[in-house]
Amino acid sequence: METKELMTTDFDRKLDVLMEENRAGRLERYPWVGARYAGQAPKVLVLGDSHYATDGNEFSQEALEELLEKDATRAVVDCAITSDAPWKMFAGLYSLFGKDSLESRKDFWSKIAFYNFIQRVMRARDERPAYEDFMSAWKCLSGLSDVLLPDFCLFIGTRSETGIEGLGEGNYAIRQDDSVYINGFPREGWFLSAGGRRVPFIAIHHTSMGFSPSHWQAYLEDKIPSVMRQLRK
């Protein structure tokens, strides 16, 4: 993964300085911010899970150094847009939103913001984030939300609920939706940004494993029809 020269330029750097000044937690990498994101209604922030510094199943120092660069997330998205065989997480995301061509993928990414929730880089495929990683991640999202101003967050993976209590009583709500089971129960709720904005979210089963796009499409179209209309068109 090369982070210095991106093939894709359809993203917005204007918020980079504000992200540095206003973050509440430790933002290690700039998020992807689509060139049309600021004008979307609603504005959707998609959150993946973690970065892995591995080559196959082994730790890679080269991959770690690349992932520590500020533009690393943008390089990952660049690969996801232009690759004929994107990582499973992105392949599942494209199936969920019906993006089966290069042009439709470019359009999709131009509308959204994206980053991986956990800031610390994992050094093995089987390494899992610690509780402290999730606590830090929620604080980082709380601060970053005052810069990106998302109207809705979609988490790819349900373990992101871990550590939300670190935001403090009255600053969040979360529940497991027991009415539907699609390889797991979704979570839904809201959190307050550092500046007091209320941001709703849904966390779905991770798109990289045992994922059923059609079932999750139906669920999300029922729960967030405006978001699905915007991102599936």
Side-chain angles (χ1 to χ4, degrees):
M1 179 184 66
E2 177 58 56
T3 62
K4 294 180 174 57
E5 294 185 10
L6 305 185
M7 294 175 64
T8 303
T9 58
D10 200 19
F11 61 90
D12 190 346
R13 287 188 181 273
K14 292 193 294 293
L15 298 176
D16 288 5
V17 172
L18 289 177
M19 283 187 272
E20 286 294 325
E21 293 175 349
N22 294 345
R23 67 191 185 205
R26 189 178 182 190
L27 181 67
E28 297 289 351
R29 289 159 291 277
Y30 294 131
W32 170 276
V33 182
R36 299 160 61 199
Y37 169 79
Q40 297 298 300
K43 292 192 288 293
V44 180
L45 171 59
V46 178
L47 294 110
D49 190 276
S50 306
H51 287 289
Y52 290 85
T54 57
D55 183 0
N57 293 322
E58 302 297 324
F59 168 72
S60 167
Q61 182 64 35
E62 180 181 0
L64 177 63
E65 291 173 2
E66 290 178 346
L67 288 170
L68 292 178
E69 294 187 21
K70 280 292 189 181
D71 271 343
T73 295
R74 291 164 177 171
V76 168
V77 172
D78 182 69
C79 291
I81 294 173
T82 59
S83 173
D84 292 331
W87 292 290
K88 288 182 180 180
M89 179 269 193
F90 294 110
L93 193 63
Y94 294 152
S95 296
L96 177 64
F97 290 105
K99 306 303 176 184
D100 56 3
S101 68
L102 176 60
E103 288 308 310
S104 65
R105 294 197 297 266
K106 286 182 176 179
D107 178 73
F108 172 75
W109 286 105
S110 75
K111 295 176 180 177
I112 69 167
F114 168 86
Y115 75 99
N116 274 346
F117 188 53
I118 299 299
Q119 296 297 291
R120 183 173 65 87
V121 177
M122 304 294 106
R123 294 175 177 240
R125 294 304 303 177
D126 59 354
E127 183 179 3
R128 297 294 178 262
Y131 180 75
E132 292 75 14
D133 293 321
F134 287 103
M135 292 272 286
S136 296
W138 277 108
K139 291 177 181 178
C140 186
L141 174 59
S142 175
L144 188 57
S145 293
D146 284 331
V147 179
L148 295 180
L149 302 177
D151 299 305
F152 178 79
C153 291
L154 178 65
F155 285 89
I156 306 304
T158 57
R159 70 180 180 181
S160 52
E161 68 178 347
T162 307
I164 192 173
E165 59 272 14
L167 294 178
E169 185 176 354
N171 293 326
Y172 71 94
I174 188 169
R175 75 176 190 93
Q176 177 175 290
D177 187 351
D178 294 327
S179 68
V180 60
Y181 182 89
I182 313 170
N183 299 106
F185 293 106
R187 315 294 198 268
E188 58 182 348
W190 55 265
F191 66 90
L192 293 184
S193 72
R197 293 182 67 251
R198 181 164 166 157
V199 184
F201 67 85
I202 288 177
I204 64 172
H205 184 73
H206 203 281
T207 56
S208 67
M209 49 189 175
F211 186 69
S212 175
S214 61
H215 288 94
W216 282 107
Q217 282 173 9
Y219 175 80
L220 293 175
E221 284 169 356
D222 177 62
K223 291 288 185 178
I224 48 170
S226 63
V227 170
M228 294 301 284
R229 281 195 301 270
Q230 176 184 327
L231 296 184
R232 281 180 58 79
K233 68 183 179 182

